[in-house]
């Protein structure tokens, strides 16, 4: 993984032998619409989903990057980064008396 910000081990009571950037794995999945899409501007959008796992720490980092190959501004107003399947009554298929976050 790349360091997301500058930090020096040993500062502010941190261990001086800490590795920075942290040791781990990074993988990026790139998604692009095929050139045969109905709207040509959709073929200019690339979505990259990044994951990082760190050695010795039970942490998973995830971020999404949306790139548009044009000088027009694109606004992403909704994104679902995880959809966790659960059993009823907490599943999306149940008839809950309150709205789900993705329903608005």
């Amino acid at each position: 993984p790349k360091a997301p910000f500058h930090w020096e081990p040993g500062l502010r009571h941190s261990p001086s032998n800490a590795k920075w950037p942290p040791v781990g794995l990074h993988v990026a999945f790139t998604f692009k619409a095929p050139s045969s899409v109905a709207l040509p501007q959709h073929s200019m959008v690339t979505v990259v989903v990044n994951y990082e796992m760190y050695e010795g720490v039970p942490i998973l980092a995830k971020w999404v990057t949306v790139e548009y190959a044009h000088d027009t501004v694109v606004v992403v107003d909704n994104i679902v980064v995880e959809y966790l399947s659960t059993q009823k009554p907490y599943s999306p298929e149940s008839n809950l008396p309150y709205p789900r976050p993705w329903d608005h």
Side-chain angles (χ1 to χ4, degrees):
K2 292 177 10 180
F5 50 84
H6 176 73
W7 178 74
E8 294 181 26
L11 296 178
R12 299 183 67 186
H13 310 290
S14 66
S16 58
N17 62 346
K19 296 187 188 308
W20 189 255
V23 177
L25 300 172
H26 174 257
V27 63
F29 296 98
T30 303
F31 300 93
K32 189 163 180 60
S35 56
S36 62
V37 295
L39 296 173
Q41 59 266 37
H42 289 175
S43 65
M44 293 187 276
V45 176
T46 303
V47 177
V48 182
V49 182
N50 296 276
Y51 293 91
E52 284 186 353
M53 294 183 351
Y54 307 108
E55 186 177 289
V57 182
I59 295 176
L60 173 74
K62 179 179 182 179
W63 67 95
V64 177
T65 304
V66 179
E67 301 167 353
Y68 188 58
H70 197 270
D71 52 354
T72 306
V73 174
V74 174
V75 176
V76 177
D77 64 357
N78 188 6
I79 188 167
V80 176
V81 291
E82 294 292 336
Y83 184 83
L84 302 176
S85 295
T86 59
Q87 294 184 353
K88 290 186 177 186
Y90 304 106
S91 71
E93 291 78 27
S94 65
N95 295 323
L96 297 174
Y98 50 86
R100 298 170 295 196
W102 53 86
D103 284 340
H104 339 154

